[in-house]
Amino acid sequence: MIKFFRKIRQNLLSENKFSKYLIYAIGEIVLVVIGILFALSINNWNENRKLQKEELNLLSDIRTNLISNYNTFKNDSLVNQGDILKYEKIENYIENNLKYDKELDSSFGVLTFWSTPYITSSAYNTLQTKGLDVIQNERLRQNIVDMYEIRLKSLINDYDKSEWNISEVVTPFFSKHIRRLHKKSLRLSRPNDFEKLKHNEEFQNILSMIIRQRKRGQEFFGEVMTEMKRLIDAIETEINSR
């Protein structure tokens, strides 16, 4: 092709058709520029396609992580709600001055237990490494950042840390006044003297504090799960629209 164009230029020059040669040369330059622009356009298209594929893969992975977190939080909420009912059962026995019944073994057995929120964030960590701008939808990008940097971190920093603080009070009291029934189950315990414990103001305060903390945790989990479900749906909508 290059030889063909060179031959045409030589013929025009040999025939002293300079004006035609000039027009032809300009046309040839234009063709070369168009070719370069076309090649650049194809290259940009390929790059954009790669970036879009990478973005969609990341969004899909983030959605998968969020679904896993949502299901974990849902299970944790169910466990915590069940524990709250057990604590309130102890309260009922104390308020009504009822004699101890072995059904309380499971209630006392979980006084020192709570479900720590476990967060899966591998996809979000990958997004941070690659750069947040990989997500083109600005609003969606911001919602993802808010979920991981604000809501989930608050759940850990506010709720879980306060559980550990309460544990520093509950565990010493537990070890002094309550014993685990190891031969039956690690989740079964019984007071050394329930009649004395019923009139122990420190225990009543501790029990009230645990119930309040768990109910607060339920509110935390509920709020985060609501926002998480919205974000999962928003990511799915974004993926389907592409």
Side-chain angles (χ1 to χ4, degrees), residues 5-237:
F5 286 136
R6 184 184 299 139
K7 185 175 182 180
I8 294 176
R9 291 198 303 271
Q10 290 174 349
N11 290 337
L12 290 173
L13 285 174
S14 63
E15 296 174 4
N16 293 322
K17 296 179 180 180
F18 183 75
S19 59
K20 289 185 178 181
Y21 171 80
L22 186 60
I23 293 173
Y24 176 81
I26 293 173
E28 190 174 326
I29 292 172
V30 170
L31 286 175
V32 171
V33 171
I34 291 175
I36 293 174
L37 292 176
F38 182 71
L40 288 174
S41 177
I42 292 177
N43 184 64
N44 289 337
W45 181 80
N46 286 330
E47 288 300 317
N48 288 335
R49 187 177 64 174
K50 290 179 182 178
L51 289 174
Q52 185 179 77
K53 183 178 180 180
E54 183 178 47
E55 176 193 6
L56 294 177
N57 287 337
L58 272 174
L59 284 175
S60 179
D61 290 343
I62 290 173
R63 179 177 175 274
T64 298
N65 282 178
L66 289 172
I67 291 174
S68 176
N69 290 331
Y70 182 88
N71 291 332
T72 298
F73 289 1
K74 185 177 180 179
N75 291 333
D76 289 344
S77 294
L78 291 174
V79 171
N80 286 338
Q81 185 59 42
D83 289 348
I84 290 172
L85 294 176
K86 291 178 181 179
Y87 305 147
E88 290 178 336
K89 183 179 291 184
I90 297 175
E91 270 194 330
N92 179 61
Y93 269 73
I94 293 174
E95 291 172 358
N96 293 284
N97 196 27
L98 301 175
K99 290 185 177 181
Y100 191 84
D101 187 280
K102 64 179 181 180
E103 71 167 350
L104 292 182
D105 289 351
S106 61
S107 298
F108 279 98
V110 294
L111 277 178
T112 57
F113 293 174
W114 76 90
S115 296
T116 297
Y118 178 77
I119 298 171
T120 303
S121 58
S122 56
Y124 179 69
N125 294 337
T126 300
L127 174 62
Q128 287 181 305
T129 301
K130 292 182 177 295
L132 298 175
D133 289 340
V134 171
I135 308 299
Q136 297 180 28
N137 187 321
E138 184 176 350
R139 183 176 180 181
L140 182 61
R141 179 173 67 241
Q142 189 58 53
N143 287 340
I144 291 173
V145 173
D146 287 346
M147 174 58 66
Y148 281 95
E149 297 297 336
I150 298 177
R151 295 190 176 277
L152 293 179
K153 283 188 176 181
S154 295
L155 188 63
I156 295 296
N157 295 332
D158 294 339
Y159 173 69
D160 198 47
K161 283 187 177 180
S162 55
E163 282 282 8
W164 281 103
N165 291 334
I166 289 177
S167 178
E168 293 178 359
V169 176
V170 176
T171 302
F173 186 92
F174 186 99
S175 62
K176 185 177 180 180
H177 298 280
I178 302 168
R179 66 185 185 280
R180 294 220 179 265
L181 306 177
H182 294 291
K183 292 182 179 180
K184 294 183 178 181
S185 171
L186 291 175
R187 298 182 67 87
L188 295 177
S189 298
R190 186 172 296 171
N192 296 327
D193 191 331
F194 183 60
E195 291 305 314
K196 287 185 179 180
L197 201 62
K198 284 194 295 186
H199 303 289
N200 188 313
E201 292 186 358
E202 183 182 2
F203 175 68
Q204 292 178 27
N205 290 336
I206 287 176
L207 186 59
S208 175
M209 181 172 59
I210 293 175
I211 292 173
R212 185 172 64 252
Q213 170 68 8
R214 295 297 160 81
K215 287 184 175 180
R216 179 170 174 262
Q218 289 296 81
E219 292 178 358
F220 257 115
F221 275 110
E223 291 171 1
V224 173
M225 287 171 64
T226 297
E227 292 302 318
M228 195 178 293
K229 184 64 170 63
R230 290 175 182 169
L231 182 54
I232 291 171
D233 291 342
I235 292 175
E236 184 174 4
T237 298

